[in-house]
């Protein structure tokens, strides 16, 4: 029995290169899908290049906070639950003063760590006890207790209420 070799046609080569990314991308995509929130920059022991990633279970393992409030995007009060900004920044060892809050659609908001903490920011993962889907501001929504904190009923805080939050960059 002899093996027969033939030259690959241009079509065969193009097809092979078109299919290869899908073969190798699937495991990478699955691993990335497990990460719900990435906090990078001035976190942990690193001066500038720290990185902490959380999946749903890791976020749930942090101290949980809940409050009910109305928002400009909801007609009635909604109960939000998740990790307070104070607890998250302490857990990651954030030591910068500024943030970039980046949503899944690459929407970016810049804010001061102190403002997010002072406003009692909550990285909500649940709305009315149910995990928040991407289609309804999830999986993470930075929200403030607007009803309990009248000073947060301002465009400065409304614009910092980032939904579909995926990444936080901590900078000097």
């Amino acid at each position: 029995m002899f093996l027969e070799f033939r030259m690959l046609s241009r079509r065969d080569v193009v097809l092979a290169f078109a299919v290869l990314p899908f073969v190798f991308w699937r495991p990478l995509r699955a691993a990335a899908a497990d990460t719900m929130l990435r906090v990078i920059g001035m976190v942990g022991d690193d001066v500038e290049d720290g990185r902490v990633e959380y999946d749903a279970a890791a976020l749930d393992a942090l101290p949980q906070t809940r409050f009910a409030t109305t928002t400009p995007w909801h007609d009635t009060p909604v109960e939000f639950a998740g990790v307070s900004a104070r607890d998250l920044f302490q857990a990651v060892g954030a030591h910068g003063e500024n943030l970039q809050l980046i949503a899944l659609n690459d929407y970016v908001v810049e804010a001061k760590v102190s403002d997010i903490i002072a406003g009692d920011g909550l990285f909500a993962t649940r709305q009315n006890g149910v995990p928040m889907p991407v289609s309804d501001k999830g999986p993470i929504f930075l929200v403030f207790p607007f009803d309990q904190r009248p000073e947060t009923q301002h465009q400065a805080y409304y614009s910092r209420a980032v939904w579909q939050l995926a990444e936080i960059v901590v900078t000097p």
Side-chain angles (χ1 to χ4, degrees), residues 39-168:
V39 185
I40 63 173
M42 299 181 72
V43 296
D45 295 333
D46 288 339
V47 176
E48 295 180 6
D49 296 324
R51 180 184 196 94
V52 181
E53 294 184 348
Y54 289 97
D55 62 10
L59 281 171
D60 286 346
L62 294 174
Q64 298 292 295
T65 301
R66 67 183 61 241
F67 57 73
T69 190
T70 55
T71 76
W73 310 281
H74 299 91
D75 295 332
T76 59
V78 176
E79 182 187 75
F80 293 101
V83 181
S84 74
R86 181 179 311 278
D87 288 338
L88 180 68
F89 296 146
Q90 183 177 11
V92 299
H95 50 272
E97 295 181 16
N98 297 293
L99 301 170
Q100 284 187 327
L101 304 160
I102 305 170
L104 290 172
N105 65 355
D106 293 327
Y107 175 76
V108 178
V109 170
E110 294 187 358
K112 295 206 168 290
V113 172
S114 59
D115 290 343
I116 302 300
I117 292 173
D120 288 332
L122 177 71
F123 294 99
T125 57
R126 287 181 171 69
Q127 179 176 306
N128 294 326
V130 179
M132 296 171 41
V134 171
S135 61
D136 191 14
K137 300 185 178 32
I140 300 173
F141 180 18
L142 173 56
V143 67
F144 299 90
F146 298 115
D147 293 348
Q148 296 82 3
R149 304 286 305 274
E151 70 274 17
T152 63
Q153 295 175 7
H154 187 276
Q155 186 58 36
Y157 279 94
Y158 296 150
S159 67
R160 294 175 186 150
V162 178
W163 55 79
Q164 297 179 339
L165 185 66
E167 183 171 275
I168 302 170

